[in-house]
Structure formats: C-alpha cells, structure tokens
Amino acid sequence: MSPYDTVIRAGTIVTASDTFDADIGIRAGRIVAIAEDLGDCPDTIDAAGLLVMPGGIDSHVHISQPSGEGVVMADDFDSATRSAAFGGNTTVMPFCFQDKGQSLRDALAWYHGLADGNCHVDVSFHLIVSDPTPHVLGQELPALAEEGYTSFKMFMTYEGLKLTDREILETMTAAKRSGARAMIHAENDDAIGFLRDQAEMAGNTAPRFHATTRPIPVEREATHRAISLAEIAGVPLVIVHVSNREAMEEISRARARGLKVYGETCPQYLVLTAEDLDIPEGAKNVCSPPPRDKASQVACWEGIEQGIFDLFSSDHCPFRYEDTSGKKHPKGRQSFRWIPNGIPGVETRLPILFSEGVGKGRISLQRFVSLTSTNHARQYGLYPRKGTIAIGADADIVLWDPEQERTISQDILHHGADYTPYEGFKVTGWPVLTMVRGQTVVKDGTLAASATGLHVAREKPGD
Ligand code: URP
Ligand code: ZN
Ligand code: ZN
C-alpha cells in the first residue's frame, strides 16, 4: 500500500533555485516525499513532459471591492478564484478595503462573509488603510497583524482612499511597530487632478487622456516621496504596479542607499502601451498607472531581468465594459475621469510571463517561479508553507505544458469581465493541472473540485 494519497510522477520539478526530475509524494495536503521513484499509488498523476512548479501566488488582486457609487466589480470570490485556478494560481491575495469611518475588523468581517466557502484557491487578505485613526493604527493594526493579516496598502491617489504624507508616515510607523508589510500606490493626486481638469476644459475626454493626465513624472515623484517617507519612518516598503524606468530608478537608488524597497510590476506594463487606450474600445485598457510606451516595456523587462522587480502580479481589477456603470459608459458620463480604473488579468499573468519571458529567453525557469510564486510567499509571510516545492510545504502545485500554444481570448477565460485586454495575444506554455493543498482543482480545462479554498493567516514578513 502506498504511503501517499497522491503521487505526481516523472515531471520536471522547477523551484526558485533548481530544476530536476523527480516524483512528488503527497499526504494530507502536504508534500511528504520528493524522490526518483516513489512507486505505485492508486492516485498517480503522470507529469511526464510537463513542468511541475509551485502554484502561482498572485499577491495583488481586487475582488468585490467597492469602487464608487453604482460601480460593481466584475468578479466575486467564486469567479475570481476560479479564474485564478484556471490560470495556474493556488493562492491569491485580495485587498480588504476599509471605508472611511469603518473599523478594519468590520471591513474584514464583510470580506470574509463574501469569501469564506466560495474560493477555489487559497486566499489571504491584505488590508487597505483609508482611515488611519489612532484606534486603527494603535489598536486594530497591531492586533490584526498578530492574527495573520500582516500587510496593508496605502494610496497616494483616489478620492476616499488617498492619505496625506503625515498620515502615510503615521501608518508606516504603525507597520513598523506591528511588524506588518507596508505597500503603496505611488501617484501624485494633486498633479493628476490638475492635469485632468486642464484636459477636460480643453474638451479632451477620450480614454487616451487617462494616460496623458497620469504621465511618468506623476508616478516618479510619488515613488520618490513614498520612499523618502519610508526612510523617515524606518520601514521596508513595497512599491506596487511600477510602470516605467524613472520609477524603477527611484527604487534602485533607494536600494543603493541600503533601504529595503521592493518593486512589483504587472503584465500590462510589459505588453500594453498607452496606444491601447487610443483605440475605439480604449476604455477597456484604462488602469493606473497607465501602460506607457515601448521604451517603458523594455525598461520593465530590464527590471525583471535585473531583480529591481521582486514581484510580478496581475493587479487583477475587473470591470465589465458594457454594463451601465461599466467602462464603456461610466454612469452615462463621457469623460475618461469616470472610467473605473483596472483591468482583468489573474488568469493570464502566468502564461504571458512564461511565454514572453521564459519562451523568449529573457528569464530562466527559476526566475519565473521566483517572480510568480516564491517571492510573493517570502514577501508576505507565507514561506515556506507556500511558494515552493519542498518537504512539509502545502501541495500547491501547477503542472505546466511548456509547448502548448494558445491564443488568449475572452472565450477561453473564466473571469467575470466581458473582455480581456490581451485578446488575440499568442502564448506558448499553459497550465494543465492546478492542485491546492493536494486537491486537484482544475484539470485539462475543467473545474475538478468545488470551492475548497481557505483563508490563510500569515507570519510577519520581517525585512
Ligand atoms: O487601475 C488599477 N490599478 N486599479 C486597481 C486599483 C489599484 O490601484 O491597484
Ligand atoms: Zn494601486
Ligand atoms: Zn491594484
């Protein structure tokens, strides 16, 4: 009788540090053996010819997030995590948004009510701090960090979300005291407001003006300021969704000074440009920061290759195009100002990076695993339980066909949005099986298990 519940046989295992051929033995949801031949097991998955990698961890997704009056996100936890699983992910990290005046605990209770029992992959919430009162910073954040909510995002833009520099300093200081990881959306809100008003006064309201009113200096200045505030507060900082060379240079300079500053970039900054907002359905590609130009794509690839970026996330933030309050006619208003910011991408993140990165010789398989899984686990306190293939780790595994050719299109995706920004994009390499804690969730394009994803409490990430 086999000592394993499941054996994954004869695959090529890829971790952040190694590539080798071996079997994997799984018992009670964990990896308990890695060896050349683990013998017969009634539940054997043949992985010959496939890559066996830690399941993707997407540490930047928005699910069911309130997004302004009447605006409804296209994904709930069921559809977003199903889409994540089909895209080879085993854990996603959505944001728990704190409304003004709301306690973090109330916000979390609401999100858990939506998520618990409805997820197809594991989830772990970041917090969004929009109302940093003394109670929130002094009582709630430290207590929640002890309970495993060990990261939070601050915004420098968006009405109702943005914090002042003073509030950012106070919130960062709370992160330092509680051992939580601070993340920041770096764009200068006053500059955006100024440019947006000017554009509208000149009658420039088409989607493409979303990009011209959020130019690179808006992001560069805020990135510099955010890093300076983190230096003053003495905390590590993750700069999320970095889109261009100048913001990258701020990160590099900070690191050269010995600061703990981490960078994240996303598929949209590698394969879209601002020109994708200047098409008949350009609203579909409105996100912030906006996609830039070819030179910025090249810069972001350099950041990926050289390690300026530790994290490659989707920033999945799906809105429907055709809805009454969707991206086409946001509440019947015509200006780009009202287009909900964000694009879907949780299902296409891994194939795009694999195809464009590994397939085109820009990054190694190991770096692919680091960027899409291991570094997310390390950064946010999930490692070594998740993000690797090792004895004792959760059996969160993706089987990957490196030769399978696909054309990305809305028809083959599982998200709640009614489009993909990557329609027609050809990729080589596709996930064929996704396993969460030993249970096969997706196999050969079919959902194989009902919602068994759980919320995962995390360790404090350290530096
Ligand atoms: O446009 C974007 N990125 N929307 C999602 C919210 C955010 O700032 O991450
Ligand atoms: Zn953001
Ligand atoms: Zn985001």
Side-chain angles (χ1 to χ4, degrees), residues 60 153 155 185 240-241 288:
H60 189 151
K153 183 175 175 186
F155 284 81
H185 177 133
V240 297
H241 47 46
S288 295

Side-chain angles (χ1 to χ4, degrees), residues 254-276:
R255 287 186 178 179
R257 291 202 304 279
L259 300 180
K260 301 269 169 34
V261 180
Y262 306 99
E264 175 200 76
T265 194
C266 313
Q268 48 270 40
Y269 306 121
L270 300 182
V271 301
L272 299 181
T273 68
E275 285 179 18
D276 291 303

Side-chain angles (χ1 to χ4, degrees), residues 314-347:
S314 68
D315 193 5
H316 178 79
C317 188
F319 298 97
R320 292 177 65 82
Y321 181 66
E322 293 286 351
D323 278 4
T324 40
S325 60
K327 287 170 90 83
K328 185 177 180 184
H329 289 304
K331 297 186 223 160
R333 292 145 156 165
Q334 291 308 321
S335 173
F336 65 89
R337 175 193 294 261
W338 303 104
I339 300 171
N341 282 203
I343 59 177
V346 72
E347 196 168 342

Side-chain angles (χ1 to χ4, degrees), residues 107-334:
L108 270 170
W110 190 75
Y111 274 93
H112 273 291
L114 298 178
D116 295 353
N118 293 317
C119 293
H120 302 280
V121 301
D122 283 352
V123 296
S124 192
F125 285 119
H126 303 290
L127 307 167
I128 288 176
V129 178
S130 71
D131 198 1
T133 63
H135 179 71
V136 165
L137 298 187
Q139 311 290 320
E140 287 204 296
L141 259 188
L144 290 171
E146 293 304 319
E147 292 170 33
Y149 302 95
T150 56
S151 53
F152 60 83
K153 183 175 175 186
M154 297 164 286
F155 284 81
M156 299 171 88
T157 186
Y158 294 136
E159 215 47 61
L161 279 171
K162 65 184 177 193
L163 304 182
T164 64
D165 289 356
R166 170 77 186 243
E167 288 173 328
I168 290 171
L169 278 168
E170 283 165 356
T171 309
M172 286 177 167
T173 303
K176 186 175 183 175
R177 275 199 301 266
S178 58
R181 177 65 83 246
M183 310 157 74
I184 200 151
H185 177 133
E187 287 186 296
N188 181 320
D189 192 65
D190 277 341
I192 294 166
F194 168 76
L195 292 170
R196 197 162 50 197
D197 289 349
Q198 281 199 329
E200 284 184 338
M201 279 188 292
N204 296 330
T205 57
R208 70 188 168 91
F209 294 104
H210 173 80
T212 58
T213 56
R214 302 176 100 102
I216 286 174
V218 160
E219 186 182 343
R220 182 195 63 217
E221 183 281 329
T223 304
H224 178 84
R225 186 157 38 101
I227 291 170
S228 303
L229 297 175
E231 187 173 1
I232 291 165
V235 284
L237 181 65
V238 178
I239 313 282
V240 297
H241 47 46
V242 176
S243 72
N244 68 88
R245 185 180 298 283
E246 295 182 22
M248 277 167 52
E249 285 169 352
E250 297 294 339
I251 297 172
S252 298
R253 269 199 290 277
R255 287 186 178 179
R257 291 202 304 279
L259 300 180
K260 301 269 169 34
V261 180
Y262 306 99
E264 175 200 76
T265 194
C266 313
Q268 48 270 40
Y269 306 121
L270 300 182
V271 301
L272 299 181
T273 68
E275 285 179 18
D276 291 303
L277 279 68
D278 192 14
I279 57 173
E281 297 189 342
K284 288 180 172 177
N285 298 318
V286 164
C287 60
S288 295
R292 308 288 183 187
D293 56 11
K294 291 276 177 207
S296 295
Q297 292 181 346
V298 170
C300 288
W301 276 114
E302 279 175 33
I304 282 182
E305 288 157 26
Q306 295 166 6
I308 295 165
F309 295 124
D310 299 286
L311 303 166
F312 185 74
S313 309
S314 68
D315 193 5
H316 178 79
C317 188
F319 298 97
R320 292 177 65 82
Y321 181 66
E322 293 286 351
D323 278 4
T324 40
S325 60
K327 287 170 90 83
K328 185 177 180 184
H329 289 304
K331 297 186 223 160
R333 292 145 156 165
Q334 291 308 321

